[in-house]
Amino acid sequence: MALTDYTSLMKVTARVMRGTTPRLLWKFVYNFGMRNVINMSAFSRRLKKNKPFFPAFMMISVTESCNLACSGCWVSKGGKKSLTIEQLDGIISQSKSQGSYFFGILGGEPLMYRGLFDVLAKHPDCYFQIFTNATLITPKLAERMKSLGNVTPLISIEGLRDESDRRRGSDDVYERTLNGLRACRKAKLIFGVAASICKSNFEELVSRQHLENMAHEGAAFQWYYIYRPVGADPHPEKALSKEQIRQLRQFIVDQRRNAPLIIIDVYWGADGKAICPGATGMSHHVSPSGFVEFCPPLQMAVEQLDAKASNLVSICNNSQFLSDLRQMTASTSRGCILLEDPEKLADFLIDHHAIDTTSRATFLEELRKMHPVAGHDMREEAIAEKNPLYRMLQKRYFFGFGAYG
């Protein structure tokens, strides 16, 4: 590792350690770090030996309810579907039986889901990343997460002041989000920030200044996504161009050398080749209506959980729909089929008699109206990772599964 890489990593690590407590740090290192390393290695071995399939980790959307109305969101505005407490508890228990102890908790706004922390408290051996807009995080709520010890908020910031209000459909969203973020920092939580990058927020958020601002606010990591023009209010004109996606990748690679926080993405491997977590089987998603889906924005499925989610392992082991979709997407592109070939995806869903899992029941119609936009498969223009530590992690623990042959 180059001296600059080493120095930067040590500074970030020292800052995070100073900003949290020994108990929270241990939960993060053991529940998330060590357990996840073991789980990812076991997942890789299962794939290589062609054993019954179960994803490395589950993404769980607990509710459609949300206190904001963001453009380009795939969740049904005004939707009321939610998992039951018994289903959420069952998903976690079933996953643990397969060696998986890490979960992404999504919505809607997951903090609107009643009983969420009571369920998470039943599983102190797990680690939960809560995808939240943070406007509902009060000092009291932050202290509740601290008492659990196994929760890290991932706080969505979709732009600075004006852009946040435009994207979120509300007023003072940026300030309210920062208030929630600061409550997390005061409670000494380990937390990160996330951004869905589109044309209207590119200049504001794909910048060194934004990274430094978020590090100053106490964030341990920045997670970058690529905007997907889906849902009932898709705004395809905001989708990134091929050149902007290349610029985003270059920015991530360059900033990882000396950024003041950890930069995360799930789009590219160590060599810069595109990755689809669903195609590799690394993760799948449970919808608020209890259907087991390929990924969060692809809101059609075949199999549904029972009242206690006791059939989750069986669904993952035996779903022809998920298996065929993994194979089809992997053979079509290393990128995102939802962006690159929505027509082929729609035909596949119809052929497999997939069910719309949303409250609005218009996903297939929306998919048929979509036109292809640039995805993250850069092919011959792939930009390899420069930071040796990230290269090692991506090769060894995340993307070395051979899913693309």
Side-chain angles (χ1 to χ4, degrees), residues 268-338:
W268 296 282
D271 55 5
K273 291 183 178 180
I275 292 293
C276 168
T280 64
M282 184 170 67
S283 71
H284 284 319
H285 175 249
V286 178
S287 75
S289 51
F291 281 88
V292 183
E293 300 174 339
F294 182 76
C295 66
L298 207 169
Q299 297 178 290
M300 294 190 75
V302 171
E303 295 92 0
Q304 189 174 23
L305 298 176
D306 59 29
K308 294 187 177 181
S310 60
N311 59 339
L312 175 62
V313 173
S314 176
I315 288 173
C316 291
N317 285 174
N318 302 304
S319 173
Q320 193 64 50
F321 170 74
L322 290 174
S323 177
D324 289 350
L325 189 48
R326 287 193 298 272
Q327 294 179 37
M328 188 272 284
T329 53
S331 64
T332 300
S333 169
R334 294 185 66 102
C336 177
I337 191 171
L338 186 62

Side-chain angles (χ1 to χ4, degrees), residues 154-171:
L154 181 60
I155 297 170
S156 176
I157 294 178
E158 298 304 325
L160 303 185
R161 286 173 176 82
D162 292 342
E163 177 63 13
S164 285
D165 288 354
R166 285 192 294 266
R167 282 284 299 276
R168 301 295 208 171
S170 188
D171 296 327

Side-chain angles (χ1 to χ4, degrees), residues 106-164:
L106 306 87
E109 171 50 57
L111 297 181
M112 295 181 69
Y113 181 82
R114 292 185 178 180
L116 174 63
F117 293 132
D118 294 334
V119 177
L120 304 192
K122 294 176 62 177
H123 300 278
D125 51 348
C126 295
Y127 206 78
F128 302 95
Q129 186 169 65
I130 298 181
F131 294 66
T132 174
N133 60 49
T135 60
L136 300 178
I137 298 180
T138 62
K140 181 178 180 181
L141 191 61
E143 287 294 330
R144 178 74 193 279
M145 289 188 274
K146 179 181 179 180
S147 70
L148 291 173
N150 61 346
V151 174
T152 181
L154 181 60
I155 297 170
S156 176
I157 294 178
E158 298 304 325
L160 303 185
R161 286 173 176 82
D162 292 342
E163 177 63 13
S164 285

